[in-house]
Amino acid sequence: MVKLGTQTAWQYILEDAAESPTSSGNRFMLPGFVTNSTIEPRFNTKEIRGFKQPSDTDQRRVDDIRSSKNEYAFSLTYVPLKRISDPKYDFRHFHNCVMNNSSSTAAGGGWTYGTSITSNLRTITIFKEIDNLQTRLSGAKINRLTSRCSVDNPVEITVEGFASFATFADLSRTDATTLRDGTPFYWSDVQVYIDGALATFCTAYEYNVTNNAESDYVLGDRDPKQVVLKGRSIDVSVTRQYNDTAQYAAAKNSTAKAITIVLDDATDVNIGFRDAKWDGHPIPGQLEGTLVHILKASAEAMFSN
């Protein structure tokens, strides 16, 4: 039968080691309200063409087409929720997997996660079901995370990454507890602070963490041995109604700024960017409507509380 998007389920579980999910006593977990997910196996077919004999009537034809290295890419879009006590859920348990390897692998460890950036990342297993069709990715790492919010919209997060293995085999774990009773972060829950002071007239934000991940291969195995991380880049942008030029001198002089995005929760969620430098200070030029400009910065460090 034809499958429908409404038959889709997406869940994750942390791994003790690459491609080794945590104890069978641990249930799957959810990052929030998942609104879109893709898994894109790529097999990188290659063509080989050699010289032909003079008698060959088609001397330009391909002699062989063969799959080469396997890549297992995935992406996910979801709406994060405010902290829940039953089940224990905090969106930073999944979100911070882009930053460090400290999210808890214990049953009921959804409130435990690292808050700073480290060299290594936790690998995760992704389990996606569409009706009776199951897909599992193992050894997955987050390559890029983008969080954004604008007026009249909820906070939305998009994640992209790679895994080192894929299978259609089942994974015997208890399904994640539903989060349907959770409360999303809406635009009215968001404030932006620059150097500790409330940045007024903000209408949107977006930040990106990119880990420059890639699949790593050795001779004799088309599957990657692991997903390796190279450098890291952190970018943040703040859209503001054009009301002053207070950030112009800092942008021109490459002055380090502290930018913090605060999401209103019981104890507030702080996503901070430090040693950030503005890339420019655009002057808006449209004819009609409220004038806005987008301040874009690159940061050396990032944290969450």
Side-chain angles (χ1 to χ4, degrees):
M1 295 291 292
V2 173
K3 308 304 180 185
L4 304 176
T6 51
Q7 296 174 296
T8 302
W10 191 102
Q11 307 175 90
Y12 77 96
I13 192 168
L14 299 181
E15 296 180 344
D16 291 324
E19 301 184 9
S20 297
T22 54
S23 166
S24 59
N26 291 3
R27 63 172 60 238
F28 284 116
M29 304 180 75
L30 294 171
F33 291 161
V34 178
T35 59
N36 188 57
S37 73
T38 60
I39 294 176
E40 297 184 28
R42 295 190 289 262
F43 306 119
N44 296 285
T45 55
K46 293 186 178 298
E47 297 179 351
I48 299 176
R49 182 169 54 236
F51 294 135
K52 308 296 187 296
Q53 293 301 102
S55 60
D56 201 315
T57 58
D58 184 3
Q59 296 178 330
R60 293 189 298 116
R61 69 179 176 86
V62 172
D63 293 304
D64 188 63
I65 300 175
R66 187 150 311 208
S67 297
S68 183
K69 61 182 182 179
N70 302 334
E71 293 181 295
Y72 307 113
F74 69 90
S75 65
L76 171 74
T77 300
Y78 64 97
V79 175
L81 311 176
K82 298 185 179 185
R83 178 176 280 210
I84 299 171
S85 58
D86 187 17
K88 278 196 171 182
Y89 162 87
D90 190 299
F91 84 91
R92 286 164 289 189
H93 185 269
F94 182 76
H95 173 281
N96 288 16
C97 287
V98 75
M99 299 166 54
N100 57 62
N101 62 348
S102 301
S103 291
S104 174
T105 60
W111 283 5
T112 305
Y113 45 85
T115 59
S116 61
I117 283 184
T118 62
S119 298
N120 297 320
L121 299 183
R122 175 79 65 192
T123 58
I124 61 177
T125 290
I126 293 169
F127 191 63
K128 181 175 180 177
E129 296 178 282
I130 303 177
D131 192 18
N132 62 331
L133 303 180
Q134 301 165 329
T135 305
R136 186 201 330 167
L137 295 184
S138 302
K141 291 182 181 178
I142 298 175
N143 176 47
R144 180 181 175 88
L145 181 145
T146 300
S147 176
R148 62 175 66 88
C149 186
S150 58
V151 171
D152 203 29
N153 289 296
V155 174
E156 184 180 77
I157 296 176
T158 298
V159 165
E160 300 170 358
F162 301 100
S164 57
F165 182 71
T167 179
F168 293 119
D170 191 12
L171 181 61
S172 181
R173 296 293 190 277
T174 303
D175 284 339
T177 302
T178 179
L179 301 178
R180 287 188 57 203
D181 293 331
T183 302
F185 289 101
Y186 280 95
W187 64 282
S188 53
D189 297 315
V190 179
Q191 290 183 314
V192 178
Y193 288 79
I194 299 176
D195 292 337
L198 179 64
T200 55
F201 305 104
C202 293
T203 61
Y205 79 80
E206 180 175 311
Y207 62 82
N208 301 281
V209 184
T210 304
N211 285 312
N212 295 304
E214 63 179 24
S215 300
D216 188 41
Y217 300 87
V218 299
L219 293 175
D221 190 350
R222 289 174 50 206
D223 276 337
K225 297 297 292 183
Q226 60 182 331
V227 177
V228 297
L229 309 172
K230 296 188 294 184
R232 181 197 301 111
S233 59
I234 304 169
D235 304 302
V236 57
S237 66
V238 179
T239 302
R240 301 182 69 193
Q241 296 176 345
Y242 191 64
N243 187 63
D244 59 58
T245 58
Q247 298 301 318
Y248 182 84
K252 184 177 181 179
N253 297 321
S254 195
T255 302
K257 311 297 289 185
I259 303 168
T260 305
I261 297 168
V262 179
L263 307 181
D264 184 22
D265 204 344
T267 57
D268 284 342
V269 175
N270 297 296
I271 308 294
F273 306 87
R274 296 296 181 260
D275 294 316
K277 310 287 180 65
W278 299 122
D279 183 58
H281 192 283
I283 310 300
Q286 65 264 34
L287 175 63
E288 298 180 351
T290 303
L291 297 180
V292 298
H293 65 161
I294 302 176
L295 298 175
K296 298 180 179 180
S298 297
E300 294 181 17
M302 176 185 176
F303 71 91
S304 74
N305 66 346

